[in-house]
Amino acid sequence: MNAPAKPREKTRFDTIGKPRRRVDGRAKAIGQTRFADDLVLPRMLHAKLLRSPHPHAIVESIDVSRAQAQRGVHLVLTGAEFPVPYGIMPVSQDEHPLARERVRYVGDPVAAVIAVDEQMATEALQLIDVKYRKLPTVASPEEGLAKPEPRIHDYGERGNIHRNQSYEFGDVEEALARSDHVFEDLFFYEGNTHLPMEQQASLASVEGDGKLLLQSSTQNPHYLHRQLARVLQVPAAHVRVIATPNGGGFGGKCDPGNHEFVVAKAALMLGRPVKICLTREEVFYQHRGRHPVLMKVRTGVSNDGRLTAMHLQTLLDGGAYGSHGPASTFYTGVLTPVTYELPRFKFEACRVFTNKPACGPKRGHGTPQPRFGQEVQLDKIAERLKLDPAEMRLRMVTQPDSLTASWLHVGSTGLAECIRKVVEMSGWKERRGKLGAGRGLGLACSTYMCGAGVSIYWNKMPHSAVQILLDRSGQVTVYCGATEIGQGSDDVLAGLVAESLGIDPGWVRCVTGDTGITPIDLGSYSSRVTIMMGNAALQAAGRLRDTLAAAAAEALDTLPDRVIFSQDRVFAAQDAGKTMSFIEAIALAEAKFGTLAAVGSYAPPKPPGRYKGAGVGPSPAYSFSACVVETEVDEHTGWVTVPKIWIAHDIGRALNPVLARGQVIGGVYMGLGEALMEEQAFRRLPPKLSSALVHRNPSMLDYKSLTSLDMPEVEVALIEYPDPNCPYGAKEVGQGPLLPVMPALANAIHDAVGVRIDEIPITPDKVLRALEKKEKGEAPRVGPESFPSVPYPAPTFVLPPWEGGDGNELKGQEGRKAA
């Protein structure tokens, strides 16, 4: 389409940033033409991206000549420089750093300018001439289903369907037919974005050995490293990625970003450091946030409220690219059977491409949407059957060391204790339904994984590795590829190693998130770091402890297995008077064995399911949460106030209770924002302004989120049931506590004013509409009214464990009949 852009001819402006020396009393750039006597700027260059103003169009031509000639510009890049596509998942590598033949949403990058500063780069963007031929736009999944042409991508199931799947565990229709009651409900969960305090930023440079270094605010340096090597077509050993400590991620920095490839390419071409920092508006375009999901839930129950079967259908708005979409589609259903005993389960899910920024993983990745639907429906079931919602849930929580209908293994569970605890703390039994007009209590529960059981690209290698080096000074240096994004993973790493070696954490230095010097960790996502990094760290620390014990035992006149490490000292178990300092033990071991270092690694256990698709959902352990929300609803304005929230989280064991409580409260904050106001919504411009599909509010001024003044009092209980698969029993706490907040709020509003809001966010206008319906004698509900016809495929049929299944698919009608 376009000839590759080349670095332009040198001009006098190329002297900016070059070293200078004094010549005849004047400043002159060494080896270059003098630019100005009094201007000496850093050597670093800055990049800015030109983004498409159209949601769907063919790129007919790009003329960059005027931009290349602009003052201070060093390089202009287009899609011609990036022939190789990328994507976080091997099955969805459908993006180019700069769009080539087609743009697919407003904000899709088409060109980049690298200049001496951001202002010059921004000015040069206006000089790039792009000719577009507009194409019809797909604005919603329903529209994507109805209009398969033009296709947004040439791959996928068919038309604009990206992923389409169906799984059935036991004969669900037969179980529904036998149920005492069948409930059918529709729910909708609007998409929203991560809103981290810090925008994405990257700095690329070429190190002294000629290799690429990218320092970036990423959650997954390992996967970014792989994609950089692929896209730039350089050996992976010539790439180094450092994940800088950054101000929040929440899933938004998991995907490789266009900007990261652009600055890396520019640095390689120019031999100069190149930096980019996205504006807040650009972060909204980068997105990868919560998928909008429409849900249809049919659930069978017995007269006492126990579940008999469920048929869950989901329809996802995926946006313009694949991203984590294949996993996101699974996650709108696969964890549903983990929370409550569910004898039979059918799950159908469809993800559709639309001309919007791509959706991906946000805190809870795909699970908050179905959790909202199920927990609100359970509240409706309890109301119809005249059961206490808490007692009904208590009767059907999953049991420890059990399998679900979908062949997920539940190890430890403290959900029952979580429910009892929030019931006690909130005064549920005494206060629910008795708070007076406009006030109410609502309850909901949830579960989440402690790391994905299968890596994004399938292999048999460890998911996390740790290397520890002991120095004769007493310093303990721990190397791991795990990424600190504010969640406290470095603190956990130091604490685990210190506990194992019996020393104060202050002795431990952590070197993390650097693919050039640390062993591989797959990244900070899916609440995996504490479990996987932690188990690897304990293995490495245990090996070092054994080495130290072997050396110290001789001096202490005891056996190695009788050596105790505690309080920065080493003791003989049978005689505390026989002791030495930790440093003395290191010196003895180094003298005996040489340099002291050890490695540890961790890979999750093999999942029990054997059918295709069984790799999504398994986890070494699952956390559980229960939440009660108190609300006050103004029936004249529809305004919802939340004075207090009680939440109990099954954490296994709290390694650092202060950090853990902070994570729980952070999850509550994010969940409440999603419940009340956050939405990544879009609108059409009028025809005279191009009819483009644009983001309704791409700024922190217009995108509504909670402030500190909006936050209620939050009472947290950490429920400790140590899990044997986890380091010192510790389970996740980063994502699970978010999940029950949204449905608990919806249930509390119903308790307060008797209306159902079956969609998120729950805004005052929706509450008023429901109250108006109630006053007219209509069904007091606001939510979706229909579910489109989706061409779901024939299901993969698997028998549950208790029906004689072995985890394999039963193929064909004969297999089902035999079952």
Side-chain angles (χ1 to χ4, degrees):
M1 181 186 66
N2 301 296
K6 299 179 180 178
R8 60 175 178 75
E9 294 294 322
K10 285 187 171 68
T11 73
R12 66 193 184 99
F13 299 106
D14 286 300
T15 62
I16 294 178
K18 298 293 185 181
R20 285 175 164 72
R21 64 185 178 189
R22 304 300 298 183
V23 179
D24 296 329
R26 296 182 299 174
K28 185 173 182 179
I30 296 175
Q32 297 289 337
T33 305
R34 180 178 60 83
F35 171 59
D37 288 348
D38 57 351
L39 181 59
V40 181
L41 296 179
R43 294 176 58 86
M44 183 172 68
L45 302 176
H46 295 262
K48 296 295 288 185
L49 302 178
L50 179 67
R51 296 179 179 273
S52 168
H54 304 292
H56 200 193
I58 298 294
V59 180
E60 295 188 327
S61 66
I62 302 179
D63 183 355
V64 301
S65 58
R66 291 196 300 150
Q68 284 180 321
Q70 177 71 356
R71 172 181 180 270
V73 172
H74 282 252
L75 180 66
V76 180
L77 296 172
T78 68
E81 279 78 46
F82 297 99
V84 180
Y86 72 92
I88 185 68
M89 305 195 74
V91 295
S92 291
Q93 295 185 338
D94 55 6
E95 296 186 66
H96 288 84
L98 298 173
R100 290 166 61 83
E101 293 84 9
R102 186 188 300 193
V103 292
R104 294 175 170 87
Y105 67 95
V106 171
D108 213 351
V110 295
V113 171
I114 290 83
V116 296
D117 59 36
E118 283 190 319
Q119 183 62 37
M120 288 183 178
T122 301
E123 291 172 358
L125 292 180
Q126 312 310 312
L127 302 177
I128 300 175
D129 297 314
V130 186
K131 290 185 178 180
Y132 298 96
R133 175 162 53 86
K134 291 188 285 186
L135 297 171
T137 302
V138 176
S140 68
E142 293 85 350
E143 189 175 344
L145 292 172
K147 298 178 181 178
E149 298 291 339
R151 298 186 73 181
I152 295 175
H153 288 281
D154 293 333
Y155 81 103
E157 303 285 350
R158 61 176 176 173
N160 285 306
I161 296 177
H162 176 211
R163 301 287 294 187
N164 199 16
Q165 58 204 41
S166 178
Y167 292 86
E168 186 171 7
F169 304 95
D171 191 332
V172 169
E173 288 302 320
E174 189 271 340
L176 289 173
R178 289 191 291 103
S179 300
D180 295 326
H181 308 273
V182 176
F183 292 79
E184 181 174 310
D185 290 283
L186 298 177
F187 301 97
F188 177 67
Y189 201 112
E190 181 60 275
N192 49 67
T193 199
H194 314 83
L195 216 66
M197 288 190 291
E198 180 194 52
Q199 302 104 279
Q200 281 91 332
S202 301
L203 172 62
S205 59
V206 179
E207 296 190 280
D209 57 4
K211 297 176 182 177
L212 174 67
L213 167 63
L214 179 69
Q215 300 175 76
S216 192
S217 54
T218 177
Q219 294 180 232
N220 297 346
H222 171 65
Y223 288 124
L224 176 56
H225 184 128
R226 290 174 59 90
Q227 291 299 307
L228 283 168
R230 169 188 165 84
V231 170
L232 301 178
Q233 296 180 288
V234 298
H238 292 189
V239 177
R240 179 184 181 188
V241 176
I242 296 177
T244 57
N246 60 80
F250 314 117
K253 298 172 183 175
C254 285
D255 282 57
N258 310 72
H259 58 287
E260 292 167 315
F261 298 102
V262 166
V263 295
K265 180 74 171 181
L268 288 173
M269 293 178 69
L270 297 171
R272 304 267 296 268
V274 181
K275 179 182 178 180
I276 190 169
C277 182
L278 301 189
T279 65
R280 180 61 62 176
E281 181 176 350
E282 288 181 300
V283 174
F284 279 94
Y285 296 141
Q286 179 72 14
H287 191 42
R288 316 298 154 132
R290 188 86 71 216
H291 283 73
V293 179
L294 180 65
M295 295 160 278
K296 181 179 180 181
V297 189
R298 292 176 62 220
T299 303
V301 297
S302 60
N303 285 325
D304 63 355
R306 295 179 186 273
L307 303 179
T308 58
M310 178 185 291
H311 182 189
L312 170 63
Q313 295 173 295
T314 65
L315 178 63
L316 294 79
D317 184 338
Y321 292 102
S323 180
H324 283 76
S328 308
T329 308
F330 271 103
Y331 283 136
T332 59
V334 293
L335 297 189
T336 301
V338 174
T339 315
Y340 308 110
E341 292 179 336
L342 181 58
R344 292 182 180 177
F345 178 52
K346 185 176 183 180
F347 166 47
E348 296 173 307
C350 178
R351 185 181 193 260
V352 181
F353 285 124
T354 60
N355 293 117
K356 304 173 185 175
C359 298
K362 185 187 174 187
R363 202 172 193 169
H365 192 188
T367 64
Q369 299 96 318
R371 178 56 47 194
F372 172 74
Q374 184 184 20
E375 293 295 322
V376 172
Q377 188 184 62
L378 286 175
D379 207 60
K380 296 180 181 183
I381 292 170
E383 180 186 23
R384 179 81 61 84
L385 300 182
K386 296 181 171 52
L387 298 172
D388 181 296
E391 293 298 326
M392 186 182 78
R393 286 171 169 84
L394 277 170
R395 283 198 292 270
M396 58 184 182
V397 297
T398 50
Q399 298 302 304
D401 196 24
S402 63
L403 289 173
T404 69
S406 52
W407 289 86
L408 299 179
H409 178 257
V410 179
S412 65
T413 169
L415 179 55
E417 181 59 28
C418 287
I419 295 173
R420 295 187 186 100
K421 190 64 177 179
V422 294
V423 165
E424 173 193 338
M425 292 192 301
S426 65
W428 170 267
K429 294 181 179 180
E430 299 79 22
R431 301 173 68 226
R432 176 178 169 270
K434 304 170 185 176
L435 293 178
R439 299 177 61 200
L441 294 176
L443 181 143
C445 302
S446 69
T447 186
Y448 198 66
M449 62 178 59
C450 298
V454 177
S455 63
I456 287 177
Y457 60 98
W458 284 60
N459 62 78
K460 297 181 180 180
M461 292 181 284
H463 290 209
S464 186
V466 168
Q467 182 179 19
I468 305 177
L469 176 66
L470 296 188
D471 184 84
R472 63 189 65 175
S473 68
Q475 178 174 281
V476 180
T477 306
V478 185
Y479 298 89
C480 182
T483 309
E484 174 62 70
I485 57 171
Q487 84 282 37
S489 60
D490 281 3
D491 179 89
V492 167
L493 180 59
L496 288 172
V497 170
E499 180 71 19
S500 182
L501 296 178
I503 58 177
D504 186 273
W507 292 55
V508 181
R509 180 190 302 274
C510 295
V511 180
T512 56
D514 184 337
T515 66
I517 59 175
T518 63
I520 286 174
D521 179 89
L522 298 185
S524 292
Y525 65 93
S526 294
S527 283
R528 57 174 298 285
V529 177
T530 292
I531 288 80
M532 300 195 184
M533 172 197 74
N535 279 325
L538 289 184
Q539 185 181 80
R543 288 169 174 170
L544 275 176
R545 189 179 62 244
D546 291 345
T547 300
L548 293 173
E554 295 181 12
L556 297 176
D557 191 25
T558 189
L559 297 174
D561 61 359
R562 299 288 291 166
V563 174
I564 295 175
F565 295 80
S566 179
Q567 299 178 359
D568 303 336
R569 298 194 65 79
V570 181
F571 301 88
Q574 74 277 11
D575 185 355
K578 293 181 178 180
T579 181
M580 68 179 67
S581 70
F582 184 68
I583 293 177
E584 290 171 328
I586 291 176
L588 288 174
E590 187 173 346
K592 185 178 180 65
F593 300 110
T595 301
L596 298 177
V599 295
S601 60
Y602 177 77
K606 186 177 180 180
R610 302 174 185 175
Y611 56 91
K612 184 178 180 179
V616 184
S619 178
Y622 297 93
S623 70
F624 297 86
S625 303
C627 175
V628 169
V629 172
E630 181 174 341
T631 58
E632 297 174 357
V633 182
D634 188 323
E635 298 189 48
H636 300 291
T637 65
W639 193 262
V640 177
T641 303
V642 178
K644 189 165 183 178
I645 293 177
W646 299 265
I647 185 164
H649 181 69
D650 166 25
I651 194 173
R653 174 173 288 168
L655 299 179
N656 184 323
V658 173
L659 281 181
R661 290 175 185 276
Q663 285 286 297
V664 173
I665 294 171
V668 169
Y669 164 81
M670 187 168 282
L672 192 58
E674 293 188 21
L676 289 172
M677 60 187 70
E678 293 192 39
E679 52 183 335
Q680 174 107 335
F682 295 79
R683 61 187 175 90
R684 286 248 188 227
L685 293 178
K688 66 179 181 179
L689 296 178
S690 81
S691 299
L693 183 68
V694 298
H695 199 298
R696 185 183 296 169
N697 45 10
S699 75
M700 291 184 70
L701 178 65
D702 298 309
Y703 182 92
K704 304 304 179 188
S705 66
L706 295 180
T707 70
S708 58
L709 297 177
D710 301 310
M711 267 297 284
E713 179 186 353
V714 180
E715 188 173 341
V716 177
L718 299 177
I719 305 302
E720 296 187 283
Y721 281 83
D723 191 290
N725 284 335
C726 302
Y728 294 117
K731 298 198 283 190
E732 76 86 32
V733 68
Q735 302 189 64
L738 173 145
L739 303 175
V741 176
M742 297 76 73
L745 175 75
N747 293 339
I749 290 172
H750 176 72
D751 186 47
V753 291
V755 301
R756 291 286 182 187
I757 312 299
D758 288 345
E759 63 182 45
I760 292 295
I762 302 174
T763 52
D765 60 301
K766 296 174 184 177
V767 175
L768 281 179
R769 283 189 356 236
L771 288 170
E772 289 169 1
K773 288 184 175 184
K774 179 182 178 182
E775 189 174 348
K776 293 177 182 178
E778 301 173 6
R781 173 189 177 272
V782 168
E785 299 294 340
S786 63
F787 194 90
S789 175
V790 180
Y792 293 116
T796 296
F797 186 82
V798 182
L799 279 177
W802 44 84
E803 293 185 25
D806 60 3
N808 286 298
E809 175 188 2
L810 292 179
K811 297 185 177 181
Q813 290 298 319
E814 292 304 316
R816 291 194 61 160
K817 288 179 181 178

